[in-house]
């Protein structure tokens, strides 16, 4: 995903976790987009993002350095069954 000249806001509207794949439903400048990631639990839980999601997060890091960590924590809270209230403002 090529970063638009200006992304004013990003909200995480919902998460779906099925068959080991996480679908992330984002609202970017009032446009709905869906991205995927694959969480892997172990000694150190990790999350592999789709190329499109990785590109988006990397492009936003200059504006919100902790955006990947924030999204990672939300996804793992959701997977572990913790309360996650949507929508969540990411940027």
């Amino acid at each position: 995903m090529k970063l638009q000249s200006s992304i004013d806001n990003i909200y995480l509207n919902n998460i779906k976790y099925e068959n080991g794949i996480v679908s992330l439903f984002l609202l970017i400048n009032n446009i709905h987009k869906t991205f995927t990631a694959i969480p892997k639990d172990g000694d150190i839980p990790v999350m592999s993002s789709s190329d499109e999601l990785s590109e988006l997060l990397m492009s936003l890091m200059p504006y919100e350095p902790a955006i990947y960590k924030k999204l990672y924590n939300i996804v793992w809270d959701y997977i572990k069954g913790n309360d996650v209230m949507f929508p969540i403002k990411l940027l």
Side-chain angles (χ1 to χ4, degrees):
M1 166 182 216
K2 187 169 181 150
L3 182 64
Q4 299 172 15
S5 59
S6 167
I7 292 182
D8 298 318
N9 55 64
I10 298 179
Y11 289 89
L12 176 60
N13 282 341
N14 203 356
I15 297 174
K16 180 179 172 185
Y17 181 56
E18 219 172 49
N19 300 320
I21 298 174
V22 173
S23 297
L24 304 166
F25 300 92
L26 301 178
L27 184 64
I28 304 170
N29 285 351
N30 297 317
I31 298 171
H32 295 276
K33 294 276 191 177
T34 303
F35 299 91
T36 59
I38 299 173
K40 297 176 185 171
D41 203 3
D43 292 337
I44 300 173
V46 296
M47 185 173 75
S48 300
S49 304
S50 65
D51 290 343
E52 191 175 30
L53 179 58
S54 292
E55 187 178 322
L56 173 66
L57 295 175
M58 292 300 289
S59 69
L60 295 172
M61 288 185 84
Y63 311 103
E64 178 58 55
I67 194 160
Y68 183 81
K69 183 177 181 180
K70 184 176 186 178
L71 185 59
Y72 170 91
N73 288 333
I74 294 166
V75 168
W76 279 106
D77 279 348
Y78 182 87
I79 290 171
K80 292 178 180 179
N82 297 332
D83 287 334
V84 178
M85 302 289 289
F86 299 105
I88 299 169
K89 186 170 183 163
L90 298 175
L91 179 71

